[in-house]
Amino acid sequence: GYKDIPRRLTPSKTRFPQPIGKVEIRHLLVAWLLLSFCFSLRYVFGAPSIFPLMFIISLGTVGAGFVLHELTHKFGAQRYGFWAEFRVWPWGLIMALMFAFASGGTFIFAAPGATYIAPRIYSLNHSTKIIRRQSGLISLAGPLSNIALAAVFLIISGFDGLLGLVGMIGFQVNLWLAAFN
């Protein structure tokens, strides 16, 4: 009966992560590619010859930050027994493109989607205070992953040449993602 249901959702070391399904992978890829394009679009207007290079750098820096951010939400939610999946928001993708094009690539409104979460179990025994706390921690996990990644990119930015450029861009993008979220 209901007495067998745990009083609260607690982290479980025995729970296996819910796999990332084909639809979720497709949504992550679409959002990643579009965000990378938006973040490198300014070079189409200002220095078209280096756009391909900057797009590749954006794929790495924006991609690392965006995908890590969303997967940190997902796996953090699963740690508390929540269901979690990333889904694109089509209007968010359209707005990201519109703002990027309208500003010449200098302003990106990035809301390509979200990792949706929900507790797997609802019962009278579950405290909404505990679920709110866990939801807050899950929400905080994404921006914290961007701050940690920004620190790694800051170290890389100390190198010369292309590696330093990748580090500088990765640092800036991940701080922006953390602040925006």
Side-chain angles (χ1 to χ4, degrees):
Y2 74 89
K3 291 180 183 177
D4 297 330
I5 298 173
R7 268 208 57 70
R8 62 189 178 119
L9 297 173
T10 56
S12 171
K13 294 184 183 348
T14 60
R15 216 174 264 135
F16 293 101
Q18 147 193 345
I20 301 172
K22 289 179 185 177
V23 171
E24 188 173 18
I25 289 170
R26 189 174 31 228
H27 283 235
L28 284 165
L29 283 172
V30 166
W32 170 29
L33 290 171
L34 185 109
L35 282 178
S36 297
F37 176 76
C38 288
F39 272 91
S40 58
L41 187 63
R42 74 176 58 172
Y43 300 100
V44 168
F45 299 106
S49 62
I50 64 167
F51 169 75
L53 173 65
M54 299 312 288
F55 179 66
I56 291 169
I57 290 172
S58 287
L59 283 171
T61 57
V62 174
F66 166 71
V67 172
L68 180 66
H69 178 103
E70 297 303 335
L71 291 180
T72 302
H73 285 313
K74 177 181 180 78
F75 297 133
Q78 290 174 355
R79 183 170 182 259
Y80 290 111
F82 286 53
W83 165 87
E85 283 191 6
F86 176 81
R87 288 294 181 263
V88 296
W89 180 39
W91 283 109
L93 295 175
I94 291 166
M95 285 191 303
L97 281 171
M98 287 175 34
F99 277 98
F101 273 107
S103 69
T106 59
F107 179 77
I108 293 95
F109 176 79
T115 298
Y116 294 90
I117 66 168
R120 289 186 186 268
I121 301 169
Y122 286 101
S123 81
L124 296 175
N125 291 336
H126 286 101
S127 162
T128 56
K129 183 178 177 183
I130 290 170
I131 291 175
R132 277 197 316 256
R133 180 182 180 280
Q134 291 169 336
S135 295
L137 292 172
I138 293 164
S139 297
L140 188 60
L144 288 177
S145 71
N146 290 118
I147 291 169
L149 197 53
V152 172
F153 278 119
L154 181 60
I155 293 167
I156 295 171
S157 72
F159 290 94
D160 291 330
L162 185 60
L163 190 59
L165 177 64
V166 168
M168 182 186 69
I169 292 170
F171 173 72
Q172 292 171 345
V173 164
N174 278 281
L175 278 186
W176 186 86
L177 288 171
F180 184 77
N181 284 281

